[in-house]
Every structure is written in structure tokens, then in C-alpha cells.
Amino acid sequence: MAAEAGGEERELLTQRLKAAVHYTVGCLCQEVEEDKDVQFSKQSIAAISEITFRQCEIFARDLEMFARHAKRSTINTEDVKLLARRSSSLLKYITQKSEELASSNMEQKEKKKKKSSAAKGERTPREKETAVTESEDSNMS
Amino acid sequence: MEERDGRAGGFKKDTADRLLRMHFRDGRTRVNGDAQLLMAEMLSVFVREAAARAARQARAEDLEQVDIEHLEKVLPQLLLDF
């Protein structure tokens, strides 16, 4: 019975994710419509969504393999760059984005350092600077 | 590759993360924050490329409506590039 419930939940999650993809694909297609002065048929948008959703499986498996090959269980940006290896312009683009991320992370670290050194008098000495692995305020989402 | 900044649309990092997690074989596999952001970007590029190439195909055929057959024509190269 637990397996059934798990199967249903997974189905629900799949549906929700497909809907999220479809929505985002719609938005992106709208941008292209304006850019190229065309109109996308509903079927073509649906087809792009379907293809994108399926492509995620390929991406996920590859990424997992790359990380495992490096004896890691957490996928990082190096793995993503490997994923982009097939097209040189894609690789260039992703590498660029990755560098932008890295430099904005550095900026955040600098800010935190300044803040914590300024507030040293008010805070307990136990406060440590934790490595930022997740950047929340990014202008990419 | 189409390059765009200041885009309104695009995948969110959480969505990208959930999409990937659905297909991991090992329960311990995770994606770090920056990689999530990069993957969201990757997926957005994928969609934009698919759409833009299909649009270009339609335009090359003197059409304004992009249909499945235009997508079908550009799909092989798209998948090879990704």
C-alpha cells in the first residue's frame, strides 16, 4: 500500500512538473514570437515542452554519472559544463554564466565579511562564516 | 546560440532541481546551488534554441506560423548540439 501511495505521489509530481515546464516553455516561446515575428501553434509549444521534459532525463543521468566518476554525490558546476561540451558556443555560454555566478558569489562573501567584521562587537564569537553553497538571491530565476 | 539577458521567462532553479531529481538513480545524488542555477539556464537555452530554430525554419519557408513539422526539421541538429 505504501508503494501505491508512492506511485500516485510520483505521478502527481510528474504532472505538476510537466505543467511548470509547459508554462515556462510558453513564456519563452512568447519571447521568440516577438523576436522573430512568428506565431507558435499550440502543438509546437506542447511538443517543445515534451521534448524538454524528456531531455531532463538525459541531463540528469549524465550529470549523475559525471559526479559519480569524480567520486562525488553532489553535482556541481563542473559537471554542468561537461554536459555542455557538444557545442562550442553552448559551452562558451555556460562557462560564461558559471564565471558570472562565481564572481557574484565572491561579492556576496565579501559583503558578508564586511558585515560580520563590522558587527563583531555585537555578535557572539561563535558565529562562523559558512560556505555559501546555495545562492538565494540570484537574478537568474 | 541565441544570447539574451534581461529575459522575463526562464526556468527557476527549484524547478530545474526537481526535474533532475526525478531521474537520479542513486538516492544520495544532489545538485549544488550554483549547478541548479546553471541547469535552469541550460534548460532555458535549450527551449530558446528549439523555438528560435523552428521559427527560423518556418520563416525560411515563408510562413509565420510555426508548426510541428518545423520543429521536426530542426530537432536532429538540436539534439546533436545538446
Side-chain angles (χ1 to χ4, degrees):
Chain A
M1 254 182 265
E4 255 180 52
E8 261 181 54
E9 260 183 59
R10 190 184 164 85
E11 186 54 39
L12 228 82
L13 177 63
T14 306
Q15 289 314 313
R16 258 197 288 146
L17 279 176
K18 280 191 174 172
V21 171
H22 190 92
Y23 174 74
T24 307
V25 169
C27 290
L28 289 168
C29 283
Q30 211 173 6
E31 284 178 27
V32 177
E33 278 180 340
E34 291 163 14
D35 229 14
K36 306 263 180 221
D37 205 15
V38 292
Q39 266 228 303
F40 284 89
S41 68
K42 285 208 183 110
Q43 295 93 331
S44 61
I45 295 185
I48 296 178
S49 296
E50 184 68 32
I51 294 165
T52 305
F53 192 81
R54 290 215 208 141
Q55 190 66 22
C56 286
E57 177 166 359
I58 297 174
F59 285 159
R61 298 266 165 99
D62 282 358
L63 287 169
E64 189 174 36
M65 287 288 130
F66 296 157
R68 166 178 272 166
H69 185 69
K71 301 197 174 39
R72 280 184 274 107
S73 56
T74 300
I75 291 162
N76 63 21
T77 55
E78 291 309 300
D79 303 320
V80 179
K81 280 189 223 167
L82 253 186
L83 201 63
R85 70 198 178 286
R86 292 207 170 94
S87 149
S88 53
S89 48
L90 176 63
L91 179 58
K92 199 168 150 202
Y93 183 74
I94 292 293
T95 304
Q96 189 187 308
K97 287 290 162 198
S98 156
E99 284 163 9
E100 281 172 24
L101 268 178
S103 67
S104 93
N105 282 349
M106 289 293 282
E107 275 179 39
Q108 279 192 28
K109 276 189 180 171
E110 292 301 307
K111 273 192 201 164
K112 283 197 172 179
K113 267 190 187 163
K114 284 184 184 163
K115 263 192 191 170
S116 67
S117 65
K120 230 180 214 172
E122 301 161 355
R123 297 232 174 97
T124 63
R126 262 183 286 130
E127 189 186 78
K128 281 188 287 185
E129 200 189 347
T130 48
V132 180
T133 50
E134 302 216 4
S135 49
E136 238 114 25
D137 57 302
S138 114
N139 43 17
M140 280 199 160
S141 36
Chain B
M1 291 279 159
E2 304 266 334
E3 260 195 53
R4 267 265 265 203
D5 250 309
R7 50 213 168 287
F11 285 93
K12 297 201 153 70
K13 101 190 229 273
D14 283 332
T15 311
D17 183 48
R18 282 198 211 120
L19 281 167
L20 296 172
R21 271 193 291 164
M22 282 194 76
H23 302 292
F24 291 149
R25 289 200 163 116
D26 190 331
R28 290 166 298 174
T29 306
R30 299 275 179 275
V31 190
N32 90 6
D34 280 354
Q36 285 176 21
L37 284 165
L38 268 191
M39 277 313 295
E41 192 59 33
M42 183 90 143
L43 287 171
S44 304
V45 171
F46 184 80
V47 173
R48 267 191 226 116
E49 275 306 303
R53 292 182 191 193
R56 254 176 265 152
Q57 182 62 38
R59 274 260 165 246
E61 296 175 16
D62 263 324
L63 297 164
E64 272 183 26
Q65 166 108 327
V66 185
D67 276 313
I68 292 218
E69 49 260 28
H70 304 125
L71 186 60
E72 282 172 0
K73 287 180 185 161
V74 303
L75 198 54
Q77 189 59 53
L78 178 74
L79 295 179
L80 282 171
D81 285 340
F82 277 83

PDB file of all heavy atoms in Angstrom, chain A residues 39-60:
ATOM      1  N   GLN A  39       4.356  33.054 -34.993  1.00  0.00           N
ATOM      2  CA  GLN A  39       3.384  32.561 -34.015  1.00  0.00           C
ATOM      3  C   GLN A  39       3.564  31.068 -33.861  1.00  0.00           C
ATOM      4  O   GLN A  39       3.634  30.346 -34.868  1.00  0.00           O
ATOM      5  CB  GLN A  39       1.971  32.841 -34.534  1.00  0.00           C
ATOM      6  CG  GLN A  39       1.422  34.141 -34.008  1.00  0.00           C
ATOM      7  CD  GLN A  39       0.023  33.960 -33.466  1.00  0.00           C
ATOM      8  OE1 GLN A  39      -0.850  33.507 -34.178  1.00  0.00           O
ATOM      9  NE2 GLN A  39      -0.180  34.288 -32.213  1.00  0.00           N
ATOM     10  N   PHE A  40       3.615  30.604 -32.641  1.00  0.00           N
ATOM     11  CA  PHE A  40       3.767  29.175 -32.407  1.00  0.00           C
ATOM     12  C   PHE A  40       2.413  28.520 -32.273  1.00  0.00           C
ATOM     13  O   PHE A  40       1.564  28.987 -31.526  1.00  0.00           O
ATOM     14  CB  PHE A  40       4.572  28.907 -31.134  1.00  0.00           C
ATOM     15  CG  PHE A  40       6.047  29.130 -31.302  1.00  0.00           C
ATOM     16  CD1 PHE A  40       6.604  30.373 -31.072  1.00  0.00           C
ATOM     17  CD2 PHE A  40       6.876  28.089 -31.728  1.00  0.00           C
ATOM     18  CE1 PHE A  40       7.963  30.589 -31.250  1.00  0.00           C
ATOM     19  CE2 PHE A  40       8.237  28.300 -31.903  1.00  0.00           C
ATOM     20  CZ  PHE A  40       8.780  29.554 -31.672  1.00  0.00           C
ATOM     21  N   SER A  41       2.230  27.426 -32.990  1.00  0.00           N
ATOM     22  CA  SER A  41       0.976  26.687 -32.832  1.00  0.00           C
ATOM     23  C   SER A  41       1.007  26.019 -31.464  1.00  0.00           C
ATOM     24  O   SER A  41       2.084  25.755 -30.915  1.00  0.00           O
ATOM     25  CB  SER A  41       0.838  25.622 -33.916  1.00  0.00           C
ATOM     26  OG  SER A  41       1.788  24.604 -33.731  1.00  0.00           O
ATOM     27  N   LYS A  42      -0.194  25.739 -30.926  1.00  0.00           N
ATOM     28  CA  LYS A  42      -0.265  25.097 -29.605  1.00  0.00           C
ATOM     29  C   LYS A  42       0.484  23.775 -29.604  1.00  0.00           C
ATOM     30  O   LYS A  42       1.141  23.421 -28.631  1.00  0.00           O
ATOM     31  CB  LYS A  42      -1.734  24.832 -29.226  1.00  0.00           C
ATOM     32  CG  LYS A  42      -2.471  26.033 -28.808  1.00  0.00           C
ATOM     33  CD  LYS A  42      -3.624  25.693 -27.822  1.00  0.00           C
ATOM     34  CE  LYS A  42      -4.396  26.949 -27.468  1.00  0.00           C
ATOM     35  NZ  LYS A  42      -5.760  26.977 -28.041  1.00  0.00           N
ATOM     36  N   GLN A  43       0.353  23.053 -30.726  1.00  0.00           N
ATOM     37  CA  GLN A  43       1.008  21.750 -30.791  1.00  0.00           C
ATOM     38  C   GLN A  43       2.521  21.886 -30.753  1.00  0.00           C
ATOM     39  O   GLN A  43       3.208  21.063 -30.156  1.00  0.00           O
ATOM     40  CB  GLN A  43       0.612  20.998 -32.078  1.00  0.00           C
ATOM     41  CG  GLN A  43      -0.847  20.650 -32.127  1.00  0.00           C
ATOM     42  CD  GLN A  43      -1.647  21.728 -32.838  1.00  0.00           C
ATOM     43  OE1 GLN A  43      -1.269  22.905 -32.819  1.00  0.00           O
ATOM     44  NE2 GLN A  43      -2.737  21.324 -33.464  1.00  0.00           N
ATOM     45  N   SER A  44       3.049  22.910 -31.382  1.00  0.00           N
ATOM     46  CA  SER A  44       4.508  23.037 -31.396  1.00  0.00           C
ATOM     47  C   SER A  44       5.017  23.389 -29.998  1.00  0.00           C
ATOM     48  O   SER A  44       6.061  22.901 -29.573  1.00  0.00           O
ATOM     49  CB  SER A  44       4.975  24.056 -32.444  1.00  0.00           C
ATOM     50  OG  SER A  44       4.455  25.332 -32.160  1.00  0.00           O
ATOM     51  N   ILE A  45       4.256  24.206 -29.266  1.00  0.00           N
ATOM     52  CA  ILE A  45       4.648  24.537 -27.890  1.00  0.00           C
ATOM     53  C   ILE A  45       4.589  23.283 -27.024  1.00  0.00           C
ATOM     54  O   ILE A  45       5.496  23.011 -26.227  1.00  0.00           O
ATOM     55  CB  ILE A  45       3.760  25.652 -27.306  1.00  0.00           C
ATOM     56  CG1 ILE A  45       3.973  26.939 -28.087  1.00  0.00           C
ATOM     57  CG2 ILE A  45       4.052  25.865 -25.822  1.00  0.00           C
ATOM     58  CD1 ILE A  45       3.255  28.155 -27.536  1.00  0.00           C
ATOM     59  N   ALA A  46       3.534  22.517 -27.212  1.00  0.00           N
ATOM     60  CA  ALA A  46       3.396  21.280 -26.442  1.00  0.00           C
ATOM     61  C   ALA A  46       4.529  20.319 -26.768  1.00  0.00           C
ATOM     62  O   ALA A  46       5.062  19.645 -25.883  1.00  0.00           O
ATOM     63  CB  ALA A  46       2.047  20.639 -26.730  1.00  0.00           C
ATOM     64  N   ALA A  47       4.902  20.291 -28.043  1.00  0.00           N
ATOM     65  CA  ALA A  47       5.980  19.395 -28.461  1.00  0.00           C
ATOM     66  C   ALA A  47       7.306  19.815 -27.843  1.00  0.00           C
ATOM     67  O   ALA A  47       8.073  18.980 -27.359  1.00  0.00           O
ATOM     68  CB  ALA A  47       6.079  19.368 -29.979  1.00  0.00           C
ATOM     69  N   ILE A  48       7.569  21.107 -27.830  1.00  0.00           N
ATOM     70  CA  ILE A  48       8.819  21.591 -27.212  1.00  0.00           C
ATOM     71  C   ILE A  48       8.827  21.240 -25.731  1.00  0.00           C
ATOM     72  O   ILE A  48       9.858  20.831 -25.188  1.00  0.00           O
ATOM     73  CB  ILE A  48       9.004  23.113 -27.422  1.00  0.00           C
ATOM     74  CG1 ILE A  48       9.158  23.425 -28.909  1.00  0.00           C
ATOM     75  CG2 ILE A  48      10.216  23.625 -26.653  1.00  0.00           C
ATOM     76  CD1 ILE A  48       9.301  24.906 -29.231  1.00  0.00           C
ATOM     77  N   SER A  49       7.680  21.379 -25.069  1.00  0.00           N
ATOM     78  CA  SER A  49       7.597  21.025 -23.645  1.00  0.00           C
ATOM     79  C   SER A  49       7.936  19.567 -23.429  1.00  0.00           C
ATOM     80  O   SER A  49       8.695  19.213 -22.530  1.00  0.00           O
ATOM     81  CB  SER A  49       6.184  21.239 -23.106  1.00  0.00           C
ATOM     82  OG  SER A  49       5.839  22.559 -23.147  1.00  0.00           O
ATOM     83  N   GLU A  50       7.327  18.726 -24.257  1.00  0.00           N
ATOM     84  CA  GLU A  50       7.533  17.288 -24.119  1.00  0.00           C
ATOM     85  C   GLU A  50       9.011  16.930 -24.315  1.00  0.00           C
ATOM     86  O   GLU A  50       9.594  16.175 -23.542  1.00  0.00           O
ATOM     87  CB  GLU A  50       6.663  16.573 -25.162  1.00  0.00           C
ATOM     88  CG  GLU A  50       6.700  15.071 -25.074  1.00  0.00           C
ATOM     89  CD  GLU A  50       6.049  14.531 -23.821  1.00  0.00           C
ATOM     90  OE1 GLU A  50       5.073  15.156 -23.329  1.00  0.00           O
ATOM     91  OE2 GLU A  50       6.535  13.507 -23.309  1.00  0.00           O
ATOM     92  N   ILE A  51       9.590  17.519 -25.364  1.00  0.00           N
ATOM     93  CA  ILE A  51      10.992  17.240 -25.662  1.00  0.00           C
ATOM     94  C   ILE A  51      11.882  17.703 -24.514  1.00  0.00           C
ATOM     95  O   ILE A  51      12.808  17.008 -24.106  1.00  0.00           O
ATOM     96  CB  ILE A  51      11.404  17.948 -26.970  1.00  0.00           C
ATOM     97  CG1 ILE A  51      10.648  17.331 -28.139  1.00  0.00           C
ATOM     98  CG2 ILE A  51      12.901  17.836 -27.205  1.00  0.00           C
ATOM     99  CD1 ILE A  51      10.707  18.164 -29.403  1.00  0.00           C
ATOM    100  N   THR A  52      11.610  18.893 -23.998  1.00  0.00           N
ATOM    101  CA  THR A  52      12.401  19.428 -22.892  1.00  0.00           C
ATOM    102  C   THR A  52      12.298  18.532 -21.671  1.00  0.00           C
ATOM    103  O   THR A  52      13.297  18.223 -21.013  1.00  0.00           O
ATOM    104  CB  THR A  52      11.940  20.852 -22.543  1.00  0.00           C
ATOM    105  OG1 THR A  52      11.984  21.664 -23.703  1.00  0.00           O
ATOM    106  CG2 THR A  52      12.802  21.466 -21.457  1.00  0.00           C
ATOM    107  N   PHE A  53      11.090  18.110 -21.364  1.00  0.00           N
ATOM    108  CA  PHE A  53      10.884  17.253 -20.205  1.00  0.00           C
ATOM    109  C   PHE A  53      11.696  15.974 -20.334  1.00  0.00           C
ATOM    110  O   PHE A  53      12.350  15.532 -19.388  1.00  0.00           O
ATOM    111  CB  PHE A  53       9.392  16.939 -20.048  1.00  0.00           C
ATOM    112  CG  PHE A  53       9.059  16.306 -18.732  1.00  0.00           C
ATOM    113  CD1 PHE A  53       8.907  17.083 -17.596  1.00  0.00           C
ATOM    114  CD2 PHE A  53       8.908  14.925 -18.633  1.00  0.00           C
ATOM    115  CE1 PHE A  53       8.608  16.499 -16.368  1.00  0.00           C
ATOM    116  CE2 PHE A  53       8.605  14.339 -17.406  1.00  0.00           C
ATOM    117  CZ  PHE A  53       8.460  15.128 -16.277  1.00  0.00           C
ATOM    118  N   ARG A  54      11.665  15.407 -21.535  1.00  0.00           N
ATOM    119  CA  ARG A  54      12.409  14.160 -21.741  1.00  0.00           C
ATOM    120  C   ARG A  54      13.910  14.394 -21.722  1.00  0.00           C
ATOM    121  O   ARG A  54      14.673  13.543 -21.273  1.00  0.00           O
ATOM    122  CB  ARG A  54      12.030  13.545 -23.087  1.00  0.00           C
ATOM    123  CG  ARG A  54      10.646  13.042 -23.052  1.00  0.00           C
ATOM    124  CD  ARG A  54      10.489  11.796 -23.876  1.00  0.00           C
ATOM    125  NE  ARG A  54       9.120  11.747 -24.350  1.00  0.00           N
ATOM    126  CZ  ARG A  54       8.760  11.345 -25.538  1.00  0.00           C
ATOM    127  NH1 ARG A  54       9.672  10.954 -26.396  1.00  0.00           N
ATOM    128  NH2 ARG A  54       7.495  11.349 -25.877  1.00  0.00           N
ATOM    129  N   GLN A  55      14.330  15.537 -22.235  1.00  0.00           N
ATOM    130  CA  GLN A  55      15.757  15.847 -22.241  1.00  0.00           C
ATOM    131  C   GLN A  55      16.317  15.892 -20.818  1.00  0.00           C
ATOM    132  O   GLN A  55      17.493  15.604 -20.588  1.00  0.00           O
ATOM    133  CB  GLN A  55      15.980  17.181 -22.969  1.00  0.00           C
ATOM    134  CG  GLN A  55      17.421  17.503 -23.255  1.00  0.00           C
ATOM    135  CD  GLN A  55      18.039  16.533 -24.243  1.00  0.00           C
ATOM    136  OE1 GLN A  55      17.349  15.880 -25.009  1.00  0.00           O
ATOM    137  NE2 GLN A  55      19.358  16.436 -24.229  1.00  0.00           N
ATOM    138  N   CYS A  56      15.455  16.274 -19.870  1.00  0.00           N
ATOM    139  CA  CYS A  56      15.894  16.347 -18.472  1.00  0.00           C
ATOM    140  C   CYS A  56      16.379  15.013 -17.969  1.00  0.00           C
ATOM    141  O   CYS A  56      17.307  14.941 -17.152  1.00  0.00           O
ATOM    142  CB  CYS A  56      14.752  16.829 -17.576  1.00  0.00           C
ATOM    143  SG  CYS A  56      14.440  18.572 -17.763  1.00  0.00           S
ATOM    144  N   GLU A  57      15.751  13.943 -18.455  1.00  0.00           N
ATOM    145  CA  GLU A  57      16.172  12.618 -18.007  1.00  0.00           C
ATOM    146  C   GLU A  57      17.609  12.353 -18.472  1.00  0.00           C
ATOM    147  O   GLU A  57      18.439  11.867 -17.704  1.00  0.00           O
ATOM    148  CB  GLU A  57      15.225  11.555 -18.570  1.00  0.00           C
ATOM    149  CG  GLU A  57      15.667  10.161 -18.178  1.00  0.00           C
ATOM    150  CD  GLU A  57      14.585   9.122 -18.412  1.00  0.00           C
ATOM    151  OE1 GLU A  57      13.481   9.510 -18.860  1.00  0.00           O
ATOM    152  OE2 GLU A  57      14.858   7.943 -18.141  1.00  0.00           O
ATOM    153  N   ILE A  58      17.881  12.702 -19.717  1.00  0.00           N
ATOM    154  CA  ILE A  58      19.228  12.505 -20.248  1.00  0.00           C
ATOM    155  C   ILE A  58      20.230  13.338 -19.471  1.00  0.00           C
ATOM    156  O   ILE A  58      21.294  12.872 -19.079  1.00  0.00           O
ATOM    157  CB  ILE A  58      19.261  12.883 -21.746  1.00  0.00           C
ATOM    158  CG1 ILE A  58      18.339  11.946 -22.519  1.00  0.00           C
ATOM    159  CG2 ILE A  58      20.679  12.802 -22.284  1.00  0.00           C
ATOM    160  CD1 ILE A  58      18.171  12.298 -23.975  1.00  0.00           C
ATOM    161  N   PHE A  59      19.875  14.604 -19.238  1.00  0.00           N
ATOM    162  CA  PHE A  59      20.750  15.501 -18.477  1.00  0.00           C
ATOM    163  C   PHE A  59      21.015  14.928 -17.089  1.00  0.00           C
ATOM    164  O   PHE A  59      22.157  14.876 -16.633  1.00  0.00           O
ATOM    165  CB  PHE A  59      20.110  16.877 -18.330  1.00  0.00           C
ATOM    166  CG  PHE A  59      20.151  17.722 -19.578  1.00  0.00           C
ATOM    167  CD1 PHE A  59      19.262  18.774 -19.743  1.00  0.00           C
ATOM    168  CD2 PHE A  59      21.085  17.484 -20.570  1.00  0.00           C
ATOM    169  CE1 PHE A  59      19.301  19.570 -20.890  1.00  0.00           C
ATOM    170  CE2 PHE A  59      21.129  18.277 -21.721  1.00  0.00           C
ATOM    171  CZ  PHE A  59      20.220  19.319 -21.882  1.00  0.00           C
ATOM    172  N   ALA A  60      19.943  14.509 -16.418  1.00  0.00           N
ATOM    173  CA  ALA A  60      20.065  14.025 -15.042  1.00  0.00           C
ATOM    174  C   ALA A  60      20.994  12.816 -14.961  1.00  0.00           C
ATOM    175  O   ALA A  60      21.886  12.761 -14.115  1.00  0.00           O
ATOM    176  CB  ALA A  60      18.688  13.680 -14.476  1.00  0.00           C
TER     177      ALA A  60
END
